[in-house]
Amino acid sequence: MRELTLLAQLTDTHVTDPATTEVLYADHNGRLAAAVASINTESPRVDAVIATGDLAQWGAPREYEELIELLAPLSAPVLPLSGNHDEGKRLRSCFPDHPWADAEHSSWVTNVGRVRIVGLDSTRAGESGAELDAERLEWLDVALSADHAGPTLLAMHHPPFKSGIDWMDEGGFVGLDSFIEVISAHRIDRILCGHLHRPMTAVVGGHLAEVGPSTAVHVELDLATDAPRRVILDPIGYRLLAVSPDDTEHVEDARWNIVGHTRYVDTGRAAFEPDWSN
């Protein structure tokens, strides 16, 4: 039987205080609960859930209490990252057993089976955009330099590329050129991101970078210059990454297959067999 590691990616859940009076346009908490229920039905079983930031709406204590309650039913461990809507210290306190870096930034490294996952904190205090300073870039370089026989995934909240949706790109990415220089020197099998509230892909420093779909509202896809700030209630979902080696007998020589899927949730339609399937 082939070895398979199945990873899910949740992102931009924006969990709220149930007593909020904020106009949200969608039930963020209910949508996350639906995604969690769906992840628990995946077959084969999901081995870990990577949560790539903006897990809370405003980083408030009550929001994190609700986040923990909503994630508690998951049958797989959660690997959390901080986003620009999160409060890093509160997020870390919610996951005290997670292997956080011994640093001010909330980065981490862990292995799931033979898959190494590097979680990089890309947040800039008080800003919506990204920042990778010298300390974090040095930490990343050391983490990626460590010997590892299997594949490596890099998870971060902010995508290291411009989406073309002007109002989402205006926050900027401080240190992007230096980041690309670091990752260009290492093998990274996939970069997993959030922040943009809709799925998209790009190649960065020779590596494939993917953004997962939000479980809250989505950003409208409008590539016109100075497009208005609009959101859309697209179907929610999460990413699934199926990671398996071609040759499980010779680990050092194995070529790794990483196939990404998007699972849409609560679309109101169930799968069915069409007439032509018989």
Side-chain angles (χ1 to χ4, degrees):
M1 181 179 296
R2 72 184 179 118
E3 176 188 353
L4 175 69
T5 300
L6 188 61
L7 303 168
Q9 179 200 5
L10 281 169
T11 194
D12 297 275
T13 56
H14 287 271
V15 168
T16 66
D17 182 335
T20 185
T21 58
E22 181 181 0
V23 177
L24 298 170
Y25 306 104
D27 180 1
H28 295 188
N29 298 5
R31 286 180 159 212
L32 175 56
V36 165
S38 179
I39 290 172
N40 281 343
T41 66
E42 293 290 350
S43 180
R45 181 182 64 83
V46 168
D47 294 293
V49 178
I50 307 168
T52 49
D54 279 4
L55 305 183
Q57 177 74 342
W58 300 114
R62 182 64 185 89
E63 293 171 350
Y64 287 114
E65 292 173 7
E66 188 72 10
L67 174 69
I68 292 301
E69 290 182 19
L70 289 166
L71 295 178
L74 280 170
S75 57
V78 178
L79 311 177
L81 274 168
S82 188
N84 51 285
H85 276 250
D86 288 306
E87 207 292 318
K89 290 183 179 179
R90 286 182 184 145
L91 181 64
R92 289 176 73 137
S93 68
C94 288
F95 298 89
D97 297 326
H98 192 63
W100 301 107
D102 183 16
E104 287 296 315
H105 57 93
S106 298
S107 304
W108 46 265
V109 181
T110 193
N111 289 349
V112 179
R114 286 198 264 162
V115 182
R116 176 172 64 179
I117 307 173
V118 179
L120 178 63
D121 181 355
S122 61
T123 58
R124 188 193 324 165
E127 302 288 343
S128 63
E131 179 174 4
L132 292 175
D133 55 18
E135 179 187 358
R136 279 181 277 187
L137 290 172
E138 181 180 2
W139 179 92
L140 177 63
D141 188 41
V142 170
L144 293 175
S145 297
D147 288 340
H148 181 69
T152 294
L153 307 181
L154 174 61
M156 53 198 297
H157 178 65
H158 295 88
F161 59 86
K162 289 187 176 181
S163 69
I165 303 173
D166 286 350
W167 65 275
M168 288 298 292
D169 292 335
E170 65 186 16
F173 198 123
V174 177
L176 179 57
D177 290 344
S178 298
F179 167 76
I180 293 175
E181 184 178 346
V182 170
I183 66 170
S184 296
H186 296 283
R187 172 183 169 177
I188 301 172
D189 296 275
R190 199 68 53 92
I191 302 174
L192 308 177
C193 313
H195 187 62
L196 294 176
H197 282 243
R198 63 175 311 105
M200 60 185 74
T201 60
V203 175
V204 181
H207 308 301
L208 179 61
E210 300 183 320
V211 179
S214 170
T215 57
V217 297
H218 285 73
V219 168
E220 184 192 28
L221 178 56
D222 189 340
L223 300 177
T225 302
D226 297 325
R229 298 170 179 253
R230 295 198 294 197
V231 296
I232 186 169
L233 295 177
D234 280 346
I236 67 166
Y238 51 89
R239 295 282 289 160
L240 285 171
L241 283 92
V243 186
S244 60
D246 283 340
D247 183 354
T248 57
E249 294 181 3
H250 305 286
V251 176
E252 292 78 8
D253 300 325
R255 291 175 299 173
W256 291 84
N257 299 311
I258 301 178
V259 181
H261 304 272
T262 300
R263 174 75 73 190
Y264 294 105
V265 176
D266 210 14
T267 63
R269 300 271 181 161
F272 63 95
E273 292 188 15
D275 293 341
W276 47 257
S277 68
N278 298 319

